Amino acid sequence: MSAPRLHCLMVLSSAVEGVSAQSFIQAYTLASSNFSIQLASPHGKNVEYVQQDDNNRRWFNEFRSKASSNPIAFETVDSARYSALLIPSSPGAVHDLASNTELSQIVNHFIREKKPICAIGSGVAALCCVMSPDGKSWGFKTYSMTGPSVFELARTQEFFSLPVIVEDFIKDHGGQYNNSEMDAVHVIIDRHLITGQNAHSTLMAVQNLTLMCAQKFPLSPA
């Protein structure tokens, strides 16, 4: 009999700008080998996986046939049930996660309990939701982290219409931002927070999440 698995909550954007297909596949595949995964999105809405190609389109066709591919609503999440929080690179995150009050309650639980949080690329914008009621204090102030650089975002067509620029938000709200060259694999770990600069950093970030959980929540052998 195998040891019980830890539960991981995977937060996804349901905005039309979607979730990076490649980042999701890498994050889900690696995490599911170590965790029991529950997907969650705003109001449990369906997720658009963007930048698909012929290879990963077949993967998604098979994935969508499973009941586990349907996300639950943030409002129904019991945060105490989960040992880890994972947010893959999601271009839509700046639109529906960065100011989501239900997600803020979930992330605040992980901050209070110092449970591992992993946010990758454009998914780092989801962490912007953790503001105090007066809007003056951010839950991740003083944390060192990375995320998409201004230069990486400037290459996108929607750059000038983005409601949140992650690099600027982190710096303006007391966080310590650091980045490497564009498209480089770059991961920062500070306390229980793991951030990856871009979608290319997905595997490295999730590997560190797995190691962090193994250290924090050692499972007894069956």
Side-chain angles (χ1 to χ4, degrees), residues 121 124 138 140 142-153 165-172 174-181 186 188 195-198:
V124 175
W138 184 39
F140 291 99
T142 76
Y143 279 74
S144 295
M145 63 181 71
T146 188
S149 67
V150 169
F151 296 111
E152 287 173 314
L153 292 176
I165 303 296
V166 170
E167 178 178 344
D168 292 342
F169 183 96
I170 293 171
K171 292 175 178 177
D172 292 344
Q176 306 297 316
Y177 178 84
N178 179 273
N179 66 280
S180 183
E181 61 187 38
H186 184 57
I188 291 180
T195 50
Q197 180 175 323
N198 46 49

Side-chain angles (χ1 to χ4, degrees), residues 113-157:
E113 300 298 323
K114 296 180 172 57
K115 293 196 286 190
I117 299 170
C118 178
I120 302 159
S122 50
V124 175
L127 305 181
C128 299
C129 71
V130 194
M131 297 297 297
S132 60
D134 61 8
K136 294 181 179 179
S137 182
W138 184 39
F140 291 99
K141 65 180 180 181
T142 76
Y143 279 74
S144 295
M145 63 181 71
T146 188
S149 67
V150 169
F151 296 111
E152 287 173 314
L153 292 176
R155 296 177 301 181
T156 63
Q157 292 183 337

Side-chain angles (χ1 to χ4, degrees), residues 5 12 14 28 55 82 95 98 116 158 160 168 188 193 199:
R5 287 188 169 199
L12 305 175
S14 59
Y28 186 89
N55 291 325
Y82 300 96
H95 299 284
E158 61 271 16
F160 291 103
D168 292 342
I188 291 180
L193 176 66

Side-chain angles (χ1 to χ4, degrees), residues 66-121:
K66 303 174 182 177
S68 57
S69 69
N70 298 316
I72 62 173
F74 292 154
E75 298 90 334
T76 65
V77 170
D78 177 8
S79 300
R81 183 170 180 261
Y82 300 96
S83 301
L85 180 66
L86 174 57
I87 310 169
S89 191
S90 308
V94 294
H95 299 284
D96 67 345
L97 300 184
S99 58
N100 189 289
T101 54
E102 288 82 14
L103 179 58
S104 176
Q105 295 175 15
I106 294 169
V107 180
N108 262 316
H109 167 83
F110 278 79
I111 294 174
R112 287 194 307 270
E113 300 298 323
K114 296 180 172 57
K115 293 196 286 190
I117 299 170
C118 178
I120 302 159

Side-chain angles (χ1 to χ4, degrees), residues 31-97:
S32 62
S33 65
N34 297 283
F35 301 96
S36 292
I37 296 179
Q38 174 63 63
L39 306 184
S41 69
H43 307 299
K45 292 181 179 178
N46 290 331
V47 175
E48 183 72 25
Y49 298 101
V50 297
Q51 294 141 8
Q52 292 187 35
D53 57 31
D54 289 340
N55 291 325
N56 59 36
R57 193 170 290 112
R58 287 193 293 270
W59 188 94
F60 278 109
N61 286 338
E62 181 180 344
F63 172 72
R64 287 185 184 279
S65 68
K66 303 174 182 177
S68 57
S69 69
N70 298 316
I72 62 173
F74 292 154
E75 298 90 334
T76 65
V77 170
D78 177 8
S79 300
R81 183 170 180 261
Y82 300 96
S83 301
L85 180 66
L86 174 57
I87 310 169
S89 191
S90 308
V94 294
H95 299 284
D96 67 345
L97 300 184

Side-chain angles (χ1 to χ4, degrees), residues 183-198:
D183 300 324
V185 174
H186 184 57
V187 173
I188 291 180
I189 303 172
D190 186 356
R191 287 160 275 186
H192 60 105
L193 176 66
I194 301 164
T195 50
Q197 180 175 323
N198 46 49

